[in-house]
Amino acid sequence: KTVGLFRNGWVNPQFGFDQGFEKYYKPLGGYQDVRTKRLRPNAQQVGTDESMVADAIEFLRIHGKTSRWFLYVHLMDVHEYTYDKESAQFGTAVPDIYDNSILREDWVISTLYDYLAKQGLLEKTLIVLASDHGEAFGERGYEGHARELFPETTETPVIISFPFALSKPIVLDRRTTNMDIWPTVLELMGLPIQADDLDGRSHRQEIIALARGSAPTPSEPGADAEKPSVAFLDENWGVPGSERMAAVSIVEDDFRYVSGKGWNGQPYERLLSMEDGQRQDVLASNPEVAKRLREQARDLVAQKPVHESDAIELDEMQLDQLRALGYQLP
C-alpha cells in the first residue's frame, strides 16, 4: 500500500508527484484550535499538520498490520511558523517563533510515533525525516528561504530511525544530498535500485561501517573523493513569465562558491570556507579556487533543460496554494 499526504502546493499531484502512489491527496483541514497562531497569517493554509497525522493514523489503523506499506507525509506547519500557547517557550523574535514552531511540530510528530509504538509497528518500520530547505535569519542580510543559496538555507539534517535500538547514534558527516535518500533507503531494506543512471547514491555501506565502529567507506567504488554538491535557484521563481535570474551554489572540497543577484538585482559572488564554518567571504584570498568554481557555475547556468515542459490547468484552490507560497499570480 502506498499513500502520500501533503499540504504544500509545490507537491500537488498536477506536477507529477503522485506517481507510484495508490492514493495521494491533501487532507481536509478539519478543526483548528483557535489558540493556534502563525507568523505568516496570509499563508492561506487550511488546517494544520494535526489533520495530516490524523489521516496517517487512520491509514495505519486500517492497513498497518495487514499490508506492507509506504507512507509519505509532507508536513507544513514549521514552514508557516505555526505555534500555540504551550509551545511558545522561546520568546517573540522571529527566530524564537521558528523554534516554537519546531517544538510544536515535535509534539505533533510524536503523536504518530506513539501510535506506531502502541501498535507494535515501530519495531518493523524504517522512518526517515528530511527537509527541502532551512531558514535564514539575517546572518548575511537575508531572511526566510528560496531567494539565496547560502548554507543556512541549503544544509539540512536527514534523520533515519531504525526499527531496532542502536548502542549509540550514528552520525555520518560526509556530504550527502536529498537525492541520496531513496537509494539509501532501498538498500537498507534489501530492495533493488532499478535505475541505470542515478543522480544520488546509497550510503548503506557507510552507515553499517559506522554502526560497527569502523571508518566509513563509500558505498560506490571510486567514490572516496566527495562529488561537488550543486544547488540552483531561479530568483524570479515567483513571477511567471519573467526573465530567469540564476543563483548557483557549488560545494567542492573545503569551499562553497555562491553567486546570484539578490533583492536589489545587483550581481554578487562569495567564496566560503569550511575551516571557519562558512562564515566569512574568502574570495580575495583564493582567486584560483574562485575562478574554477565560477567557471563551473557559468557552465551550469548555460545548460539547457533536459525535459520539456507541458502546460497544465490548475483550479482556483491550487492557484491559492501557490499564491500562499509566494507566487505573484493574478
Side-chain angles (χ1 to χ4, degrees), residues 205-244:
Q205 187 170 315
E206 295 145 283
I207 292 171
I208 292 176
L210 286 167
R212 292 172 174 168
S214 307
T217 302
S219 301
E220 289 184 355
D224 295 88
E226 294 184 0
K227 300 177 182 179
S229 178
V230 177
F232 172 84
L233 175 69
D234 180 358
E235 295 179 354
N236 275 336
W237 63 265
V239 189
S242 61
E243 182 181 353
R244 189 175 72 163

Side-chain angles (χ1 to χ4, degrees), residues 270-287:
R270 305 281 190 275
L271 187 67
L272 309 178
S273 172
M274 303 301 168
E275 290 185 359
D276 69 350
Q278 305 185 67
R279 297 179 183 277
Q280 302 297 322
D281 183 11
V282 296
L283 189 77
S285 57
N286 296 272

Side-chain angles (χ1 to χ4, degrees), residues 143-157:
E143 292 186 352
H145 59 272
R147 295 295 176 187
E148 44 75 31
L149 296 172
F150 289 108
E152 47 268 26
T153 56
T154 64
E155 294 187 357
T156 61

Side-chain angles (χ1 to χ4, degrees), residues 85-222:
K85 181 177 180 180
E86 287 74 23
S87 59
Q89 299 186 17
F90 295 99
T92 57
V94 173
D96 295 328
I97 294 177
Y98 193 72
D99 286 340
N100 295 338
S101 181
I102 292 173
L103 177 61
R104 181 181 179 278
E105 193 76 300
D106 283 346
W107 295 343
V108 172
I109 294 174
S110 73
T111 304
L112 185 55
Y113 266 81
D114 289 346
Y115 182 84
L116 288 166
K118 290 177 182 178
Q119 297 299 315
L121 295 172
L122 264 187
E123 60 195 37
K124 58 179 72 175
T125 303
L126 187 72
I127 300 175
V128 181
L129 298 176
S131 178
D132 55 343
H133 61 76
E135 200 81 345
F137 296 104
E139 295 90 345
R140 302 170 216 271
Y142 297 93
E143 292 186 352
H145 59 272
R147 295 295 176 187
E148 44 75 31
L149 296 172
F150 289 108
E152 47 268 26
T153 56
T154 64
E155 294 187 357
T156 61
V158 175
I159 302 172
I160 300 177
S161 176
F162 291 98
F164 48 80
L166 297 169
S167 58
K168 61 180 181 179
I170 296 171
V171 179
L172 177 63
D173 56 11
R174 184 184 300 273
R175 188 177 303 124
T176 63
T177 73
N178 276 3
M179 291 184 293
D180 298 339
I181 295 174
W182 74 270
T184 300
V185 169
L186 287 179
E187 282 211 334
L188 285 172
M189 296 179 65
L191 297 174
I193 300 175
Q194 297 178 345
D196 297 327
D197 186 17
L198 298 179
D199 290 321
R201 65 185 181 89
S202 170
H203 294 276
R204 174 183 178 273
Q205 187 170 315
E206 295 145 283
I207 292 171
I208 292 176
L210 286 167
R212 292 172 174 168
S214 307
T217 302
S219 301
E220 289 184 355

